[in-house]
Amino acid sequence: MVDIIVLVKQMHDLEQIKPDPSTGEPMLEKSPFKMETISENAVEAAVQLKEKYGGKVTALLFGNSDAGQIMKKAYAMGCDDGYVITEYTGNNHFYTSQVLAEKIKTIKHDLILLGNQSADSVTGMLAGRLSAILGEPVLGNAVSIEIEGEDAKIKRVLEKNNYYVKTHLPAIISVTQEINEPRLPPVMRIMQAGRKPINSEKTTVQEIKNFTVVSNKAPISERKKLIFEDVDKGIEEVVKVIKEEMR
Amino acid sequence: MKFLTFSEDNQLLAQMITFLRSRGEVDAATSSDRDMPIEYGAGVVYALRGNAQYDSISAALKNLFESSGYDAVVIASTVLGREVAGHLSVGIGSDVAPELSSLEFKDGKAITKRWGYGGKTVIEETWNARVFTLLPGITDAEKNGSESTLKDIQLGDSRVEIISEEPKNLGGGNLESAKIIVSVGRGLGKKEGIEVAQKLADAVGGEIAGSRPVCLDYQWLSEDRQVGLSGKKVKPKVYIALGISGQIQHIAGMRGSKIVIAINKDKSAPIFEESDYGIVGDLYQVAPKLTEKLAA
Ligand SMILES: Cc1cc2nc3c(=O)[nH]c(=O)nc-3n(C[C@H](O)[C@H](O)[C@H](O)COP(=O)(O)OP(=O)(O)OC[C@H]3O[C@@H](n4cnc5c(N)ncnc54)[C@H](O)[C@@H]3O)c2cc1C
């Protein structure tokens, strides 16, 4: 039996973010929130561990008013329980780690699962910060997870080598995108999940913000965008361009 | 400013010392003993010995930070580096400015640049932070005629135990300095397709690279050939994308290319928005023809 807390992030659908043509700033209002990409892998990993070893999966999401539908997706994928901490105002790993840690301390668990780096802000700060705040060890960048008695064991992927590493539970495990293919829940489960209540609460942690955004704009693309549907014509043109650059 | 900089990769550490030495005094710490970076301008290079995991490294850096009066700890953004940075930031009660492509200091504040929304935007910020992670390739490493003092530090215990190590098969090509890159995506469909791309790369004297699924998921290419947000940032004269859809995380790695050429069978693939020349077609028909004409 392993009781797991899985951390779920919400993010704007990156594919739908377009820059405002006049300012270059992202038009976020037009891009709905969805479950962050690697959070989906973390949920899948948590549910697979439950299916293998038994136990309970609790999803924890620091979000805003759109968080409900994301939590329902986590339910549909197999999470048993879930808490939404409301009043998320944007990416701030310093604050987010404090808010999550406050709630985690009240939930009995053997494992905390999360994505290694979120697809939108990509900071990769949460595992290390939570480890220090909670005093639990991290096994990071897992592509496989096993539980053996009181220990968790992972295959850890680093830039130059891979390692098998282990530690005592309770522990924090960050997963990579390659660990699994997140399931598409069947319609029945989605309907059941829709009826399941969502526990929503506010945090008591005061927000601290140590950064100020000066500007946030899409880089200007100056590509020519000459697209050929006539393959032979395209090849002719491209060969000319490459030969010119090879000189 | 007085900096302490850390990486487990001495090539990255040499880059960071080079970057920081024009901004203040630098000492460095490494957990690797290959190619110690002692000629790049660091006063002291600390060799961290023992079980070098994020927690034992963080504890050693915290000790140095508190006993030697550093203003900032600057860490190379790698898997281990990010874990160390997060952990250390709590230990010294600071924030971390992460994943930076630019870092300057003015009036006690850090002025930084990093990617936003997976690479869609560039965020310029000012930070009140003592810990920073810098993207690999922040600058080229350059020796400066000095020699650092080497000091050993014995690491304390870690709660992470290594059971075994598995070396990777790395390709070793140098994508960062390649003039022409032929990059392949999931559209290749099968490992054998690499040959088609390799022939094109050979014809133009280029290097072969790939998207994340090709390098990490399917391992059709070695992991060090991945281009993108979580891979290499490349800036060749010509970048030829075969069967790559052009997701923002991929674009973030090849935006610096002078000319981008894309071959994709889907006319509406986002890669065409980031291309100078595009051919709508099957890569298995287009690439061999290109190879033939370029080799001629
Ligand atoms: C935090 C994070 C970091 C990431 N970092 C990176 C990164 O560093 N690098 C990276 O690449 N990705 C990265 N990704 C993944 C990224 O989001 C995409 O999933 C990935 O880039 C898609 O790879 P692809 O274009 O090869 O595959 P797909 O998106 O599947 O595209 C395949 C393309 O091939 C075309 N095609 C199919 N068959 C043919 C044919 N016969 N001829 C021509 N065209 C064909 C299709 O039309 C399609 O456009 C990251 C994701 C996250 C969340």
Side-chain angles (χ1 to χ4, degrees), chain A residues 42-58:
Chain A
V43 170
E44 177 64 33
V47 173
Q48 285 185 16
L49 286 173
K50 175 182 80 168
E51 287 165 352
K52 188 163 170 193
Y53 300 105
K56 180 178 167 187
V57 177
T58 305

Side-chain angles (χ1 to χ4, degrees), chain A residues 37-38 117-119 122 177, chain B residues 185-187 211-213 226-231 243-247 249-250 263-266 269 281-284:
Chain A
T37 320
I38 307 179
Q117 271 185 302
S118 63
V122 214
Q177 214 182 353
Chain B
R186 188 143 49 186
S211 68
R212 179 161 168 145
Q226 179 196 332
V227 168
L229 189 67
S230 54
I244 292 178
S245 63
Q247 295 305 308
Q249 294 94 352
H250 187 80
I263 297 160
N264 195 303
K265 67 178 185 190
D266 174 9
D282 186 333
L283 71 93
Y284 285 103

